[in-house]
Amino acid sequence: MAAEHSAPVVRQLRLVVEADDYEAAVAFFRDALGLPEEAEFVSDGDARVMILEAGRATLEIANPAQKRMIDEVEVGRQVAPRMRVAFEVDDTEATTARLVAAGASEVAPPTRTPWDSLNSRLDAPAGLHITVFQELLAPGEGVGTRGAEPGPDSDV
């Protein structure tokens, strides 16, 4: 049950990822995927961090059965680690091709899901397993309540 609050307790979700090859990860996520740069900070000892905008953030908590089901739908087998990052895009096929050209490994090609999205799976720089997804139905279209279905970005 969600607690009632007069103001949001959490204002932003940031996923912090350690990348052994910082330049390659920045080039992939900023340049190839197109996440706009919000800020970059450089400190002593070559410490560097870049904050990239990723639109609206959600945190999905899934049990093991849900994680397995989504892997089966999107890939056909169990592949995802305990955490997977999903990015909603306007064109899954074009984005997947661009990301593969930029160095990602395609795990599964764009696949239409039962919840009407087109999802592909990739292994990306910084050791991230990602989903790129495109909503195929406009909000309010379709039968049933979208919130009752496993979301296209049901990430574990």
mmCIF file of all heavy atoms in Angstrom, residues 17 24-25 28-29 32-33 67 71 74-75 77-87 95-110 119-132 156:
data_model
loop_
_atom_site.group_PDB
_atom_site.id
_atom_site.type_symbol
_atom_site.label_atom_id
_atom_site.label_comp_id
_atom_site.label_asym_id
_atom_site.label_seq_id
_atom_site.Cartn_x
_atom_site.Cartn_y
_atom_site.Cartn_z
ATOM 1 N N VAL A 17 26.736 4.188 -12.510
ATOM 2 C CA VAL A 17 27.388 3.027 -13.108
ATOM 3 C C VAL A 17 28.883 3.281 -13.211
ATOM 4 O O VAL A 17 29.306 4.296 -13.780
ATOM 5 C CB VAL A 17 26.820 2.744 -14.524
ATOM 6 C CG1 VAL A 17 27.535 1.584 -15.175
ATOM 7 C CG2 VAL A 17 25.319 2.493 -14.448
ATOM 8 N N ALA A 24 34.414 5.393 -23.685
ATOM 9 C CA ALA A 24 33.551 4.539 -24.520
ATOM 10 C C ALA A 24 32.114 4.555 -23.996
ATOM 11 O O ALA A 24 31.164 4.610 -24.781
ATOM 12 C CB ALA A 24 34.085 3.105 -24.566
ATOM 13 N N ALA A 25 31.944 4.522 -22.687
ATOM 14 C CA ALA A 25 30.597 4.536 -22.111
ATOM 15 C C ALA A 25 29.905 5.869 -22.390
ATOM 16 O O ALA A 25 28.730 5.903 -22.761
ATOM 17 C CB ALA A 25 30.656 4.258 -20.608
ATOM 18 N N PHE A 28 28.882 6.011 -26.033
ATOM 19 C CA PHE A 28 27.744 5.141 -26.303
ATOM 20 C C PHE A 28 26.441 5.763 -25.801
ATOM 21 O O PHE A 28 25.494 5.944 -26.558
ATOM 22 C CB PHE A 28 27.948 3.768 -25.660
ATOM 23 C CG PHE A 28 26.827 2.801 -25.938
ATOM 24 C CD1 PHE A 28 26.806 2.061 -27.104
ATOM 25 C CD2 PHE A 28 25.786 2.647 -25.030
ATOM 26 C CE1 PHE A 28 25.765 1.181 -27.368
ATOM 27 C CE2 PHE A 28 24.746 1.770 -25.289
ATOM 28 C CZ PHE A 28 24.744 1.030 -26.456
ATOM 29 N N PHE A 29 26.392 6.100 -24.521
ATOM 30 C CA PHE A 29 25.135 6.552 -23.929
ATOM 31 C C PHE A 29 24.780 7.991 -24.316
ATOM 32 O O PHE A 29 23.621 8.294 -24.570
ATOM 33 C CB PHE A 29 25.152 6.366 -22.411
ATOM 34 C CG PHE A 29 25.111 4.919 -22.016
ATOM 35 C CD1 PHE A 29 26.254 4.258 -21.614
ATOM 36 C CD2 PHE A 29 23.929 4.198 -22.098
ATOM 37 C CE1 PHE A 29 26.220 2.910 -21.277
ATOM 38 C CE2 PHE A 29 23.882 2.858 -21.765
ATOM 39 C CZ PHE A 29 25.034 2.208 -21.357
ATOM 40 N N ALA A 32 25.596 7.885 -29.006
ATOM 41 C CA ALA A 32 24.843 6.901 -29.797
ATOM 42 C C ALA A 32 23.393 6.788 -29.338
ATOM 43 O O ALA A 32 22.477 6.805 -30.157
ATOM 44 C CB ALA A 32 25.526 5.534 -29.738
ATOM 45 N N LEU A 33 23.172 6.675 -28.015
ATOM 46 C CA LEU A 33 21.798 6.558 -27.524
ATOM 47 C C LEU A 33 21.105 7.921 -27.498
ATOM 48 O O LEU A 33 19.894 8.005 -27.655
ATOM 49 C CB LEU A 33 21.774 5.906 -26.141
ATOM 50 C CG LEU A 33 20.399 5.611 -25.538
ATOM 51 C CD1 LEU A 33 19.563 4.721 -26.458
ATOM 52 C CD2 LEU A 33 20.536 4.964 -24.175
ATOM 53 N N LYS A 67 10.654 -11.653 -13.701
ATOM 54 C CA LYS A 67 11.909 -11.491 -14.442
ATOM 55 C C LYS A 67 12.062 -12.596 -15.483
ATOM 56 O O LYS A 67 12.395 -12.330 -16.634
ATOM 57 C CB LYS A 67 13.087 -11.488 -13.486
ATOM 58 C CG LYS A 67 14.423 -11.345 -14.196
ATOM 59 C CD LYS A 67 15.539 -11.813 -13.274
ATOM 60 C CE LYS A 67 16.850 -11.966 -13.971
ATOM 61 N NZ LYS A 67 16.907 -13.045 -14.926
ATOM 62 N N ASP A 71 12.107 -12.153 -19.650
ATOM 63 C CA ASP A 71 13.203 -12.702 -20.450
ATOM 64 C C ASP A 71 12.663 -13.646 -21.526
ATOM 65 O O ASP A 71 13.103 -13.610 -22.674
ATOM 66 C CB ASP A 71 14.187 -13.471 -19.569
ATOM 67 C CG ASP A 71 15.335 -12.609 -19.054
ATOM 68 O OD1 ASP A 71 15.378 -11.405 -19.364
ATOM 69 O OD2 ASP A 71 16.196 -13.161 -18.347
ATOM 70 N N GLU A 74 10.849 -11.460 -24.300
ATOM 71 C CA GLU A 74 11.708 -10.573 -25.073
ATOM 72 C C GLU A 74 12.873 -11.286 -25.752
ATOM 73 O O GLU A 74 13.323 -10.854 -26.803
ATOM 74 C CB GLU A 74 12.256 -9.453 -24.183
ATOM 75 C CG GLU A 74 11.183 -8.502 -23.701
ATOM 76 C CD GLU A 74 11.727 -7.362 -22.854
ATOM 77 O OE1 GLU A 74 12.961 -7.251 -22.655
ATOM 78 O OE2 GLU A 74 10.902 -6.556 -22.374
ATOM 79 N N VAL A 75 13.371 -12.365 -25.150
ATOM 80 C CA VAL A 75 14.585 -13.002 -25.664
ATOM 81 C C VAL A 75 14.375 -14.478 -26.007
ATOM 82 O O VAL A 75 15.032 -14.999 -26.886
ATOM 83 C CB VAL A 75 15.740 -12.859 -24.643
ATOM 84 C CG1 VAL A 75 17.034 -13.447 -25.179
ATOM 85 C CG2 VAL A 75 15.944 -11.398 -24.260
ATOM 86 N N ARG A 77 14.808 -16.856 -23.723
ATOM 87 C CA ARG A 77 15.592 -17.627 -22.753
ATOM 88 C C ARG A 77 16.029 -16.678 -21.634
ATOM 89 O O ARG A 77 15.939 -15.472 -21.772
ATOM 90 C CB ARG A 77 16.811 -18.275 -23.412
ATOM 91 C CG ARG A 77 17.847 -17.296 -23.903
ATOM 92 C CD ARG A 77 18.948 -17.950 -24.741
ATOM 93 N NE ARG A 77 20.037 -17.051 -25.032
ATOM 94 C CZ ARG A 77 20.010 -16.049 -25.893
ATOM 95 N NH1 ARG A 77 18.906 -15.785 -26.563
ATOM 96 N NH2 ARG A 77 21.066 -15.293 -26.090
ATOM 97 N N GLN A 78 16.529 -17.237 -20.551
ATOM 98 C CA GLN A 78 16.986 -16.438 -19.417
ATOM 99 C C GLN A 78 18.351 -15.837 -19.741
ATOM 100 O O GLN A 78 19.296 -16.569 -20.023
ATOM 101 C CB GLN A 78 17.092 -17.301 -18.163
ATOM 102 C CG GLN A 78 15.771 -17.928 -17.749
ATOM 103 C CD GLN A 78 14.693 -16.887 -17.534
ATOM 104 O OE1 GLN A 78 14.767 -16.095 -16.624
ATOM 105 N NE2 GLN A 78 13.702 -16.884 -18.400
ATOM 106 N N VAL A 79 18.447 -14.519 -19.751
ATOM 107 C CA VAL A 79 19.717 -13.863 -20.055
ATOM 108 C C VAL A 79 20.050 -12.697 -19.124
ATOM 109 O O VAL A 79 21.213 -12.369 -18.950
ATOM 110 C CB VAL A 79 19.766 -13.337 -21.510
ATOM 111 C CG1 VAL A 79 19.690 -14.477 -22.500
ATOM 112 C CG2 VAL A 79 18.681 -12.323 -21.771
ATOM 113 N N ALA A 80 19.046 -12.042 -18.585
ATOM 114 C CA ALA A 80 19.292 -10.811 -17.837
ATOM 115 C C ALA A 80 19.889 -11.093 -16.467
ATOM 116 O O ALA A 80 19.495 -12.032 -15.792
ATOM 117 C CB ALA A 80 17.989 -10.032 -17.672
ATOM 118 N N PRO A 81 20.831 -10.239 -16.072
ATOM 119 C CA PRO A 81 21.305 -10.312 -14.685
ATOM 120 C C PRO A 81 20.220 -9.767 -13.765
ATOM 121 O O PRO A 81 19.124 -9.447 -14.224
ATOM 122 C CB PRO A 81 22.537 -9.398 -14.707
ATOM 123 C CG PRO A 81 22.284 -8.451 -15.830
ATOM 124 C CD PRO A 81 21.468 -9.199 -16.845
ATOM 125 N N ARG A 82 20.527 -9.618 -12.507
ATOM 126 C CA ARG A 82 19.528 -9.146 -11.543
ATOM 127 C C ARG A 82 19.046 -7.734 -11.845
ATOM 128 O O ARG A 82 17.957 -7.355 -11.458
ATOM 129 C CB ARG A 82 20.096 -9.203 -10.124
ATOM 130 C CG ARG A 82 20.322 -10.623 -9.654
ATOM 131 C CD ARG A 82 20.863 -10.674 -8.245
ATOM 132 N NE ARG A 82 20.008 -10.042 -7.264
ATOM 133 C CZ ARG A 82 18.988 -10.640 -6.653
ATOM 134 N NH1 ARG A 82 18.669 -11.874 -6.967
ATOM 135 N NH2 ARG A 82 18.297 -9.993 -5.744
ATOM 136 N N MET A 83 19.849 -6.950 -12.550
ATOM 137 C CA MET A 83 19.448 -5.596 -12.889
ATOM 138 C C MET A 83 19.587 -5.396 -14.394
ATOM 139 O O MET A 83 20.576 -5.791 -14.989
ATOM 140 C CB MET A 83 20.324 -4.577 -12.169
ATOM 141 C CG MET A 83 19.859 -3.159 -12.421
ATOM 142 S SD MET A 83 20.796 -1.912 -11.521
ATOM 143 C CE MET A 83 22.360 -1.993 -12.335
ATOM 144 N N ARG A 84 18.580 -4.749 -14.971
ATOM 145 C CA ARG A 84 18.572 -4.423 -16.391
ATOM 146 C C ARG A 84 18.042 -3.009 -16.510
ATOM 147 O O ARG A 84 17.152 -2.604 -15.777
ATOM 148 C CB ARG A 84 17.669 -5.413 -17.143
ATOM 149 C CG ARG A 84 17.539 -5.161 -18.616
ATOM 150 C CD ARG A 84 16.848 -6.340 -19.328
ATOM 151 N NE ARG A 84 15.696 -6.869 -18.635
ATOM 152 C CZ ARG A 84 14.449 -6.430 -18.806
ATOM 153 N NH1 ARG A 84 14.188 -5.455 -19.651
ATOM 154 N NH2 ARG A 84 13.452 -6.974 -18.148
ATOM 155 N N VAL A 85 18.582 -2.228 -17.425
ATOM 156 C CA VAL A 85 18.164 -0.846 -17.608
ATOM 157 C C VAL A 85 17.401 -0.756 -18.928
ATOM 158 O O VAL A 85 17.833 -1.306 -19.935
ATOM 159 C CB VAL A 85 19.382 0.104 -17.622
ATOM 160 C CG1 VAL A 85 18.952 1.546 -17.801
ATOM 161 C CG2 VAL A 85 20.195 -0.060 -16.340
ATOM 162 N N ALA A 86 16.258 -0.062 -18.915
ATOM 163 C CA ALA A 86 15.436 0.065 -20.122
ATOM 164 C C ALA A 86 15.307 1.529 -20.515
ATOM 165 O O ALA A 86 15.189 2.403 -19.665
ATOM 166 C CB ALA A 86 14.053 -0.533 -19.885
ATOM 167 N N PHE A 87 15.338 1.753 -21.832
ATOM 168 C CA PHE A 87 15.210 3.093 -22.382
ATOM 169 C C PHE A 87 14.069 3.107 -23.376
ATOM 170 O O PHE A 87 14.073 2.332 -24.343
ATOM 171 C CB PHE A 87 16.499 3.506 -23.106
ATOM 172 C CG PHE A 87 17.700 3.562 -22.213
ATOM 173 C CD1 PHE A 87 18.558 2.472 -22.097
ATOM 174 C CD2 PHE A 87 17.970 4.700 -21.461
ATOM 175 C CE1 PHE A 87 19.668 2.525 -21.276
ATOM 176 C CE2 PHE A 87 19.078 4.751 -20.628
ATOM 177 C CZ PHE A 87 19.934 3.666 -20.531
ATOM 178 N N THR A 95 17.135 2.539 -33.432
ATOM 179 C CA THR A 95 17.996 2.719 -32.261
ATOM 180 C C THR A 95 18.855 1.490 -32.036
ATOM 181 O O THR A 95 20.052 1.600 -31.749
ATOM 182 C CB THR A 95 17.156 3.030 -31.006
ATOM 183 O OG1 THR A 95 16.392 4.217 -31.249
ATOM 184 C CG2 THR A 95 18.027 3.223 -29.780
ATOM 185 N N THR A 96 18.271 0.309 -32.172
ATOM 186 C CA THR A 96 19.037 -0.927 -32.000
ATOM 187 C C THR A 96 20.185 -0.975 -33.003
ATOM 188 O O THR A 96 21.329 -1.267 -32.634
ATOM 189 C CB THR A 96 18.121 -2.158 -32.153
ATOM 190 O OG1 THR A 96 17.113 -2.100 -31.139
ATOM 191 C CG2 THR A 96 18.903 -3.452 -32.022
ATOM 192 N N ALA A 97 19.909 -0.688 -34.260
ATOM 193 C CA ALA A 97 20.953 -0.705 -35.293
ATOM 194 C C ALA A 97 22.055 0.308 -34.958
ATOM 195 O O ALA A 97 23.252 0.008 -35.074
ATOM 196 C CB ALA A 97 20.342 -0.406 -36.655
ATOM 197 N N ARG A 98 21.665 1.510 -34.520
ATOM 198 C CA ARG A 98 22.641 2.547 -34.180
ATOM 199 C C ARG A 98 23.501 2.113 -32.995
ATOM 200 O O ARG A 98 24.719 2.312 -32.989
ATOM 201 C CB ARG A 98 21.913 3.856 -33.883
ATOM 202 C CG ARG A 98 22.842 5.044 -33.705
ATOM 203 C CD ARG A 98 22.112 6.382 -33.578
ATOM 204 N NE ARG A 98 21.288 6.475 -32.390
ATOM 205 C CZ ARG A 98 19.954 6.451 -32.376
ATOM 206 N NH1 ARG A 98 19.270 6.346 -33.499
ATOM 207 N NH2 ARG A 98 19.292 6.547 -31.251
ATOM 208 N N LEU A 99 22.884 1.474 -31.988
ATOM 209 C CA LEU A 99 23.635 1.065 -30.803
ATOM 210 C C LEU A 99 24.568 -0.101 -31.094
ATOM 211 O O LEU A 99 25.678 -0.166 -30.559
ATOM 212 C CB LEU A 99 22.675 0.733 -29.660
ATOM 213 C CG LEU A 99 21.847 1.919 -29.150
ATOM 214 C CD1 LEU A 99 20.939 1.481 -28.012
ATOM 215 C CD2 LEU A 99 22.730 3.088 -28.740
ATOM 216 N N VAL A 100 24.142 -1.015 -31.952
ATOM 217 C CA VAL A 100 25.028 -2.114 -32.359
ATOM 218 C C VAL A 100 26.222 -1.549 -33.126
ATOM 219 O O VAL A 100 27.370 -1.942 -32.902
ATOM 220 C CB VAL A 100 24.255 -3.174 -33.177
ATOM 221 C CG1 VAL A 100 25.210 -4.158 -33.846
ATOM 222 C CG2 VAL A 100 23.281 -3.930 -32.267
ATOM 223 N N ALA A 101 25.982 -0.595 -34.012
ATOM 224 C CA ALA A 101 27.071 0.042 -34.757
ATOM 225 C C ALA A 101 28.023 0.782 -33.817
ATOM 226 O O ALA A 101 29.209 0.924 -34.110
ATOM 227 C CB ALA A 101 26.512 0.999 -35.802
ATOM 228 N N ALA A 102 27.505 1.229 -32.661
ATOM 229 C CA ALA A 102 28.314 1.962 -31.685
ATOM 230 C C ALA A 102 29.007 1.046 -30.689
ATOM 231 O O ALA A 102 29.666 1.522 -29.758
ATOM 232 C CB ALA A 102 27.450 2.977 -30.948
ATOM 233 N N GLY A 103 28.842 -0.269 -30.837
ATOM 234 C CA GLY A 103 29.576 -1.193 -29.985
ATOM 235 C C GLY A 103 28.776 -2.101 -29.086
ATOM 236 O O GLY A 103 29.349 -2.942 -28.399
ATOM 237 N N ALA A 104 27.456 -1.978 -29.052
ATOM 238 C CA ALA A 104 26.650 -2.890 -28.238
ATOM 239 C C ALA A 104 26.570 -4.244 -28.928
ATOM 240 O O ALA A 104 26.702 -4.347 -30.148
ATOM 241 C CB ALA A 104 25.244 -2.336 -28.036
ATOM 242 N N SER A 105 26.321 -5.280 -28.159
ATOM 243 C CA SER A 105 26.080 -6.616 -28.706
ATOM 244 C C SER A 105 24.590 -6.894 -28.630
ATOM 245 O O SER A 105 23.995 -6.780 -27.553
ATOM 246 C CB SER A 105 26.817 -7.687 -27.895
ATOM 247 O OG SER A 105 28.208 -7.462 -27.948
ATOM 248 N N GLU A 106 23.993 -7.251 -29.764
ATOM 249 C CA GLU A 106 22.562 -7.557 -29.776
ATOM 250 C C GLU A 106 22.342 -8.930 -29.149
ATOM 251 O O GLU A 106 22.905 -9.914 -29.586
ATOM 252 C CB GLU A 106 22.016 -7.540 -31.197
ATOM 253 C CG GLU A 106 20.513 -7.746 -31.247
ATOM 254 C CD GLU A 106 19.969 -7.662 -32.661
ATOM 255 O OE1 GLU A 106 19.712 -6.535 -33.120
ATOM 256 O OE2 GLU A 106 19.826 -8.727 -33.290
ATOM 257 N N VAL A 107 21.519 -8.964 -28.121
ATOM 258 C CA VAL A 107 21.158 -10.211 -27.450
ATOM 259 C C VAL A 107 19.892 -10.771 -28.086
ATOM 260 O O VAL A 107 19.776 -11.971 -28.294
ATOM 261 C CB VAL A 107 20.967 -9.977 -25.939
ATOM 262 C CG1 VAL A 107 20.464 -11.229 -25.240
ATOM 263 C CG2 VAL A 107 22.262 -9.479 -25.313
ATOM 264 N N ALA A 108 18.936 -9.887 -28.400
ATOM 265 C CA ALA A 108 17.698 -10.282 -29.067
ATOM 266 C C ALA A 108 17.237 -9.107 -29.929
ATOM 267 O O ALA A 108 17.286 -7.955 -29.496
ATOM 268 C CB ALA A 108 16.620 -10.656 -28.061
ATOM 269 N N PRO A 109 16.782 -9.388 -31.146
ATOM 270 C CA PRO A 109 16.327 -8.324 -32.034
ATOM 271 C C PRO A 109 14.997 -7.747 -31.554
ATOM 272 O O PRO A 109 14.344 -8.314 -30.677
ATOM 273 C CB PRO A 109 16.153 -9.044 -33.369
ATOM 274 C CG PRO A 109 15.807 -10.445 -32.981
ATOM 275 C CD PRO A 109 16.611 -10.712 -31.735
ATOM 276 N N PRO A 110 14.571 -6.643 -32.150
ATOM 277 C CA PRO A 110 13.277 -6.080 -31.774
ATOM 278 C C PRO A 110 12.165 -7.130 -31.870
ATOM 279 O O PRO A 110 12.039 -7.817 -32.875
ATOM 280 C CB PRO A 110 13.082 -4.954 -32.795
ATOM 281 C CG PRO A 110 14.478 -4.520 -33.119
ATOM 282 C CD PRO A 110 15.262 -5.810 -33.140
ATOM 283 N N ASN A 119 10.494 -4.392 -28.247
ATOM 284 C CA ASN A 119 11.632 -4.403 -27.339
ATOM 285 C C ASN A 119 12.810 -5.158 -27.943
ATOM 286 O O ASN A 119 12.625 -6.233 -28.524
ATOM 287 C CB ASN A 119 11.263 -5.110 -26.031
ATOM 288 C CG ASN A 119 10.155 -4.431 -25.276
ATOM 289 O OD1 ASN A 119 9.389 -3.642 -25.819
ATOM 290 N ND2 ASN A 119 10.044 -4.745 -24.007
ATOM 291 N N SER A 120 14.000 -4.609 -27.788
ATOM 292 C CA SER A 120 15.214 -5.342 -28.138
ATOM 293 C C SER A 120 16.103 -5.384 -26.907
ATOM 294 O O SER A 120 15.959 -4.571 -25.994
ATOM 295 C CB SER A 120 15.948 -4.688 -29.311
ATOM 296 O OG SER A 120 16.466 -3.434 -28.951
ATOM 297 N N ARG A 121 17.002 -6.362 -26.886
ATOM 298 C CA ARG A 121 17.935 -6.517 -25.768
ATOM 299 C C ARG A 121 19.358 -6.376 -26.280
ATOM 300 O O ARG A 121 19.711 -6.912 -27.321
ATOM 301 C CB ARG A 121 17.792 -7.885 -25.117
ATOM 302 C CG ARG A 121 16.543 -8.106 -24.344
ATOM 303 C CD ARG A 121 16.602 -7.411 -22.974
ATOM 304 N NE ARG A 121 15.474 -7.857 -22.204
ATOM 305 C CZ ARG A 121 15.530 -8.867 -21.354
ATOM 306 N NH1 ARG A 121 16.643 -9.521 -21.150
ATOM 307 N NH2 ARG A 121 14.448 -9.225 -20.711
ATOM 308 N N LEU A 122 20.174 -5.690 -25.488
ATOM 309 C CA LEU A 122 21.562 -5.435 -25.857
ATOM 310 C C LEU A 122 22.463 -5.533 -24.641
ATOM 311 O O LEU A 122 22.039 -5.221 -23.522
ATOM 312 C CB LEU A 122 21.698 -4.023 -26.447
ATOM 313 C CG LEU A 122 20.820 -3.697 -27.639
ATOM 314 C CD1 LEU A 122 20.600 -2.202 -27.770
ATOM 315 C CD2 LEU A 122 21.433 -4.253 -28.901
ATOM 316 N N ASP A 123 23.696 -5.942 -24.871
ATOM 317 C CA ASP A 123 24.734 -5.801 -23.866
ATOM 318 C C ASP A 123 25.503 -4.553 -24.256
ATOM 319 O O ASP A 123 26.031 -4.451 -25.373
ATOM 320 C CB ASP A 123 25.644 -7.031 -23.821
ATOM 321 C CG ASP A 123 24.973 -8.204 -23.110
ATOM 322 O OD1 ASP A 123 24.205 -7.957 -22.160
ATOM 323 O OD2 ASP A 123 25.223 -9.354 -23.494
ATOM 324 N N ALA A 124 25.542 -3.577 -23.356
ATOM 325 C CA ALA A 124 26.093 -2.253 -23.631
ATOM 326 C C ALA A 124 27.398 -2.036 -22.856
ATOM 327 O O ALA A 124 27.730 -2.821 -21.964
ATOM 328 C CB ALA A 124 25.061 -1.194 -23.232
ATOM 329 N N PRO A 125 28.116 -0.963 -23.191
ATOM 330 C CA PRO A 125 29.308 -0.633 -22.404
ATOM 331 C C PRO A 125 28.989 -0.478 -20.923
ATOM 332 O O PRO A 125 27.843 -0.295 -20.540
ATOM 333 C CB PRO A 125 29.752 0.705 -23.011
ATOM 334 C CG PRO A 125 29.273 0.638 -24.416
ATOM 335 C CD PRO A 125 27.930 -0.067 -24.319
ATOM 336 N N ALA A 126 30.025 -0.522 -20.127
ATOM 337 C CA ALA A 126 29.956 -0.428 -18.667
ATOM 338 C C ALA A 126 29.284 -1.655 -18.068
ATOM 339 O O ALA A 126 28.808 -1.616 -16.944
ATOM 340 C CB ALA A 126 29.262 0.857 -18.205
ATOM 341 N N GLY A 127 29.200 -2.744 -18.833
ATOM 342 C CA GLY A 127 28.642 -3.985 -18.321
ATOM 343 C C GLY A 127 27.145 -3.968 -18.118
ATOM 344 O O GLY A 127 26.616 -4.768 -17.355
ATOM 345 N N LEU A 128 26.429 -3.063 -18.788
ATOM 346 C CA LEU A 128 24.986 -2.975 -18.615
ATOM 347 C C LEU A 128 24.247 -3.835 -19.632
ATOM 348 O O LEU A 128 24.573 -3.828 -20.820
ATOM 349 C CB LEU A 128 24.498 -1.533 -18.742
ATOM 350 C CG LEU A 128 24.873 -0.602 -17.598
ATOM 351 C CD1 LEU A 128 24.362 0.804 -17.865
ATOM 352 C CD2 LEU A 128 24.324 -1.116 -16.275
ATOM 353 N N HIS A 129 23.260 -4.547 -19.162
ATOM 354 C CA HIS A 129 22.317 -5.292 -20.007
ATOM 355 C C HIS A 129 21.105 -4.377 -20.142
ATOM 356 O O HIS A 129 20.523 -3.972 -19.139
ATOM 357 C CB HIS A 129 21.953 -6.615 -19.321
ATOM 358 C CG HIS A 129 21.124 -7.516 -20.155
ATOM 359 N ND1 HIS A 129 21.660 -8.286 -21.156
ATOM 360 C CD2 HIS A 129 19.799 -7.781 -20.140
ATOM 361 C CE1 HIS A 129 20.693 -9.000 -21.727
ATOM 362 N NE2 HIS A 129 19.558 -8.702 -21.116
ATOM 363 N N ILE A 130 20.762 -3.997 -21.384
ATOM 364 C CA ILE A 130 19.711 -2.995 -21.560
ATOM 365 C C ILE A 130 18.587 -3.494 -22.463
ATOM 366 O O ILE A 130 18.777 -4.381 -23.291
ATOM 367 C CB ILE A 130 20.266 -1.662 -22.103
ATOM 368 C CG1 ILE A 130 20.773 -1.796 -23.540
ATOM 369 C CG2 ILE A 130 21.350 -1.103 -21.193
ATOM 370 C CD1 ILE A 130 21.158 -0.472 -24.177
ATOM 371 N N THR A 131 17.436 -2.896 -22.273
ATOM 372 C CA THR A 131 16.291 -3.049 -23.163
ATOM 373 C C THR A 131 16.060 -1.696 -23.807
ATOM 374 O O THR A 131 16.110 -0.667 -23.143
ATOM 375 C CB THR A 131 15.023 -3.446 -22.374
ATOM 376 O OG1 THR A 131 15.204 -4.737 -21.810
ATOM 377 C CG2 THR A 131 13.786 -3.458 -23.269
ATOM 378 N N VAL A 132 15.817 -1.709 -25.115
ATOM 379 C CA VAL A 132 15.378 -0.523 -25.829
ATOM 380 C C VAL A 132 13.945 -0.828 -26.233
ATOM 381 O O VAL A 132 13.689 -1.871 -26.846
ATOM 382 C CB VAL A 132 16.264 -0.250 -27.061
ATOM 383 C CG1 VAL A 132 15.753 0.932 -27.842
ATOM 384 C CG2 VAL A 132 17.708 -0.031 -26.639
ATOM 385 N N VAL A 156 14.434 -5.673 -14.101
ATOM 386 C CA VAL A 156 14.913 -6.277 -12.875
ATOM 387 C C VAL A 156 16.362 -5.916 -12.716
ATOM 388 O O VAL A 156 17.063 -5.787 -13.639
ATOM 389 C CB VAL A 156 14.748 -7.805 -12.955
ATOM 390 C CG1 VAL A 156 15.191 -8.454 -11.700
ATOM 391 C CG2 VAL A 156 13.316 -8.154 -13.261
#
